[in-house]
Amino acid sequence: MSIINQKYHRQILLKELGTEGQEKLLKAKVLVIGAGGLGCPALQYLAAAGIGHIGIVDYDIIEITNLHRQILYNTLDIGLPKAIIAAKKLQLLNPDIIITPYHFRLTNRNALELLKDYDVIIDGSDNFATRYLINDACFLLKKTLIYGAIFRFEGQIAVFNQNQPTSVNFRDLFANPPNPSNSPACNIAGVLGVIPGIIGSLQATEAIKIIAEIGVPLYNCLLTYNALYNQSYQIQITPNPASIQFMPKNRTEFEFFDYFGFCSTYDDFREISPQTFETLLQTSDKLTIIDVREPFEMPLISHFPHLKIPLPELAKHINSLPSNNTIVVFCQSGQRSRQAYSIIKQHRDDLSIFSLAGGIEDWLITYKSRIV
């Protein structure tokens, strides 16, 4: 028996899969967007199953609050980039496959070029703007998308854009973005650590079934699982005529679509560009700037006075924020600062508050270009 057959022997024994199915897995290319709660289990099982080429997109770093659910990592990894560390560990698990990390933000300017080379896309993102972006890119490229989401004790999964044009996509499920106050992130609402493990494993399962062409994938239906009450159910998803109202029709429309603006309609979200932030720094004497990153995160910022309040501690400091100052919150990439914005606005509607678009890294690029 060859080494390859030894490695995958237990699943090759399944008559539905067999050697032919295993060969399909070894030839497949799967892109996992997000190496967090959903991405970690999906990546581990895909690598172990012998998916020939796995891509990992994640711009975030590993934090101590990740470890209760993102069990691919450990305490020695804190502060390191998720995509890079995940790739190294998965390569140890299976050195015979190709693993490509992408340590950058997925945007509508790079998504089409990145996704086009992969067969199946797994969405392990944690915000609606990115989910819409991924869905639209998959729709334009005719790529199968495996969607997953978690909330507290519950998770859901579906397969979109399969067998176009008869299949549904994410916009058929959510033609318009939900109100952010009704769908807070897990750092606000909390999540049982095993839930992303269950849903992420199911995402990997669907990918294997689709690639090997076995079983009945979750086409045109949403599977929901609730661990607290041991309940699971499926609902059929049908095409929603309203879904095409805002969907980009071509590459140009996609690249200029404002996904964060689209998903902020319901919470009056306000964001400022790095250039506008530069102007505020130079002209305003009533400015309170808050870094919501964890204390260990790099780069350290000494370019302007600011408060260091990690996002999990923010709620305790909201009442002390000055009402007559402009508040700007920033993080590494602009994701957590959006959450910080929502938290502050829920408690202090009197404040003039902005989130720094693109995070501190984008501002540093602007800053360096100004002083050169």
Side-chain angles (χ1 to χ4, degrees):
M1 182 182 294
S2 69
I3 294 177
I4 292 294
N5 284 345
Q6 286 180 18
K7 181 178 293 185
Y8 309 116
H9 181 246
R10 295 298 188 269
Q11 64 189 31
I12 289 175
L13 286 174
L14 298 168
K15 62 181 180 63
E16 293 84 355
L17 187 74
T19 302
E20 182 180 348
Q22 186 61 54
E23 290 175 350
K24 291 178 181 177
L25 297 181
L26 290 167
K27 294 176 182 177
K29 300 178 71 175
V30 176
L31 182 67
V32 178
I33 301 173
L38 295 171
C40 281
L43 286 165
Q44 287 169 282
Y45 279 110
L46 291 172
I51 298 298
H53 188 165
I54 298 173
I56 309 168
V57 183
D58 201 302
Y59 189 66
D60 209 353
I61 65 166
I62 299 158
E63 302 175 26
I64 192 169
T65 55
N66 300 150
L67 301 184
H68 91 290
R69 65 195 183 282
Q70 300 176 25
I71 58 175
L72 183 58
Y73 313 119
N74 59 55
T75 53
L76 297 179
D77 301 320
I78 291 173
L80 300 176
K82 289 182 180 178
I84 304 299
I85 298 304
K88 289 180 179 179
K89 296 193 176 189
L90 295 170
Q91 205 72 78
L92 291 173
L93 173 63
N94 193 342
D96 299 318
I97 63 175
I98 298 171
I99 302 174
T100 305
Y102 301 99
H103 179 53
F104 54 71
R105 287 196 309 277
L106 186 74
T107 71
N108 45 347
R109 296 303 179 94
N110 61 29
L112 294 178
E113 191 64 27
L114 179 59
L115 271 61
K116 70 180 177 61
D117 294 326
Y118 288 87
D119 306 311
V120 174
I121 313 300
I122 292 182
D123 179 3
S125 63
D126 61 359
N127 65 86
F128 276 92
T130 305
R131 289 171 188 154
Y132 280 105
L133 186 155
I134 295 168
N135 173 79
D136 294 353
C138 288
F139 188 86
L140 290 173
L141 294 170
K142 296 180 170 57
K143 298 289 184 180
T144 299
L145 170 62
I146 303 175
Y147 155 78
I150 55 172
F151 180 72
R152 303 186 72 235
F153 296 96
E154 191 169 286
Q156 54 185 215
I157 176 176
V159 177
F160 296 129
N161 298 333
Q162 181 69 13
N163 299 322
Q164 287 186 329
T166 59
S167 68
V168 297
N169 66 82
F170 181 72
R171 287 181 181 266
D172 290 306
L173 183 62
F174 295 103
N176 294 296
N179 188 323
S181 65
N182 295 330
S183 54
C186 64
N187 64 317
I188 300 172
V191 63
L192 187 67
V194 299
I195 297 300
I198 294 168
I199 302 302
S201 297
L202 287 174
Q203 289 180 286
T205 303
E206 291 302 300
I208 291 169
K209 286 160 57 182
I210 291 166
I211 294 166
E213 301 179 281
I214 62 174
V216 181
L218 287 167
Y219 298 151
N220 294 359
C221 69
L222 181 76
L223 171 64
T224 297
Y225 170 72
N226 187 300
L228 195 59
Y229 300 107
N230 295 312
Q231 295 175 336
S232 63
Y233 55 89
Q234 292 187 35
I235 60 172
Q236 291 299 120
I237 307 173
T238 56
N240 182 350
S243 68
I244 63 172
Q245 181 180 0
F246 298 108
M247 179 181 284
K249 308 300 188 299
N250 51 52
R251 184 187 190 101
T252 300
E253 289 188 13
F254 173 79
E255 291 182 347
F256 285 93
F257 193 93
D258 182 4
Y259 283 94
F260 283 105
F262 175 64
C263 293
S264 301
T265 303
Y266 292 91
D267 70 344
D268 191 33
F269 177 76
R270 293 194 294 176
E271 196 172 48
I272 59 171
S273 67
Q275 293 79 8
T276 302
F277 181 54
E278 268 284 284
T279 301
L280 277 176
L281 286 174
Q282 297 174 37
T283 61
S284 177
D285 59 355
K286 290 186 175 295
L287 190 61
T288 299
I289 306 169
I290 305 173
D291 181 355
V292 298
R293 300 177 300 165
E294 298 295 327
F296 52 78
E297 289 190 52
M298 303 294 286
L300 296 175
I301 299 301
S302 58
H303 307 72
F304 48 80
H306 62 282
L307 304 175
K308 293 179 179 291
I309 309 176
L311 186 61
E313 302 174 18
L314 184 60
K316 297 184 295 186
H317 299 269
I318 291 176
N319 289 334
S320 63
L321 297 177
S323 58
N324 59 339
N325 279 18
T326 297
I327 312 292
V328 177
V329 289
F330 74 86
C331 63
Q332 198 78 357
S333 64
Q335 297 288 337
R336 282 170 290 172
S337 62
R338 293 174 64 88
Q339 297 169 20
Y341 174 95
S342 297
I343 294 171
I344 294 172
K345 287 294 285 185
Q346 286 174 19
H347 295 85
R348 292 286 305 276
D349 196 54
D350 60 307
L351 295 177
S352 175
I353 179 170
F354 298 88
S355 170
L356 178 59
I360 199 63
E361 295 236 352
D362 277 12
W363 176 79
L364 282 172
I365 294 172
T366 303
Y367 173 80
K368 289 174 182 176
S369 67
R370 179 173 63 82
I371 63 174
V372 169

